[in-house]
Amino acid sequence: MGMDIDKSMQVAFAGLNAQGTRLRVVAENLANAESTAQSPGGEPYRRKIVTFQSMLDKQLGVTTVKVAKVMPGVGEFERRFDPANPGADAEGYVLMPNVNPLLELMDMHEAQRSYQANLNTIDAAKSMISRTIDLLRG
Amino acid sequence: MDLSKIPLFEAITKHMSWIGERQSVLAQNIANADTPGYTAADVKKLSFADLVGGTGQHLQMTTTSPAHVQPVNAAGAFKLEPQQGGERAPNGNSVQLEEQMMKLSDNVNDYALTTSLYRQQLGLLKMVLGKSSGG
């Protein structure tokens, strides 16, 4: 029984890890929202997306979660008129990254919510363990 | 003295391990709240018959070598039920965090109740033995 509660904490930690990675990728996207190419014809920063995958942990015998892949996000680059930019083409347009701050903030919020849910699981498991230890006090 | 020989203690212990199992299943659901295509599961509720039936009647496979593999659904294992129906997110995930949180707190309360019951019973035994119950 104690093993099961222990397992539930391990699963929650895996969840925390995965959501942490997601948050990191969101931060990368937001930080690079204005990263244009260095030279004409180059590509600006491309938005990244995290995908999750459930994974059977054979040692624990439970289904944990992991980050399957950090994939480049699809989407058109926006063209902005900025002739002074080193990455501008012959007509003076420069390609901007396909990062949409609104989307990123949504993703960040969701990651935060899931992170909190996993923290709650750990809290619950901890209180159950301390209940069990309390049994010793008779 | 083997407390688990006493039927009530056996039932309480079984319920506690059921709660532990459920805790780990709920943790899996919550950890996979954003995994595409994941279906939430729950542990089948214990019936009265499960609690009073005891585990003694089930025949268990004997392992004579460490290389022998135990059956997956060994006696005493609890049954998992995948969630039927309900809403699914566009990515095919059926986990609803609110519902899972509710179940989680239910589970913690259940556990508190069961451990209190255990303590009370232990207190009664101690009283019979002539020691102070200590609360």
Side-chain angles (χ1 to χ4, degrees), chain A residues 25 28-30 32-37 42-49 70-78 95-100 104:
Chain A
V25 170
E28 278 176 36
N29 287 344
L30 280 175
N32 282 299
E34 303 282 330
S35 301
T36 56
E43 265 205 354
Y45 176 82
R46 192 180 274 278
R47 165 173 196 245
K48 288 181 196 160
I49 295 178
V70 182
M71 295 196 296
V74 289
E76 289 284 300
F77 296 123
E78 195 194 329
L95 290 174
M96 297 304 287
N98 56 351
V99 176
N100 184 348
E104 301 300 330

Side-chain angles (χ1 to χ4, degrees), chain A residues 1 4 8 11 19 22 52-54 62-65 113-114 117-118 120-121 124-125 127-128 131-132 135 138, chain B residues 16-17 19-21 23-24 27-28 30-32 34-36 38 97-98 101 104 108 111-112 115 118-119 126:
Chain A
M1 157 225 14
D4 274 329
S8 80
V11 177
Q19 299 298 338
R22 184 183 184 184
F52 293 126
Q53 184 188 354
S54 60
V62 291
T63 314
T64 63
V65 66
R113 205 172 81 112
S114 300
N118 280 301
N120 277 343
T121 315
S127 84
M128 280 163 82
R131 284 270 171 194
T132 316
L135 279 181
Chain B
M16 276 162 82
S17 53
I19 293 172
E21 175 79 22
Q23 175 76 13
S24 104
Q28 291 172 49
I30 292 169
N32 283 294
D34 295 311
T35 308
Y38 182 85
L97 274 184
E98 296 81 7
M101 289 339 276
L104 195 70
V108 174
Y111 199 75
T115 49
Y118 193 95
R119 280 174 77 162
K126 279 183 183 169

Side-chain angles (χ1 to χ4, degrees), chain A residues 58-130:
Chain A
K58 291 204 177 88
Q59 201 181 348
L60 291 174
V62 291
T63 314
T64 63
V65 66
K66 67 167 186 179
V67 170
K69 234 183 193 174
V70 182
M71 295 196 296
V74 289
E76 289 284 300
F77 296 123
E78 195 194 329
R79 275 161 59 100
R80 186 191 285 176
F81 187 68
D82 185 7
N85 197 300
D89 59 12
E91 292 160 18
Y93 282 99
V94 61
L95 290 174
M96 297 304 287
N98 56 351
V99 176
N100 184 348
L102 261 179
L103 260 175
E104 301 300 330
L105 284 179
M106 263 292 297
D107 209 26
M108 187 171 88
H109 233 81
E110 231 176 89
Q112 204 177 3
R113 205 172 81 112
S114 300
Y115 195 90
Q116 221 148 35
N118 280 301
L119 276 182
N120 277 343
T121 315
I122 294 171
D123 259 359
K126 269 170 70 182
S127 84
M128 280 163 82
I129 289 172
S130 68

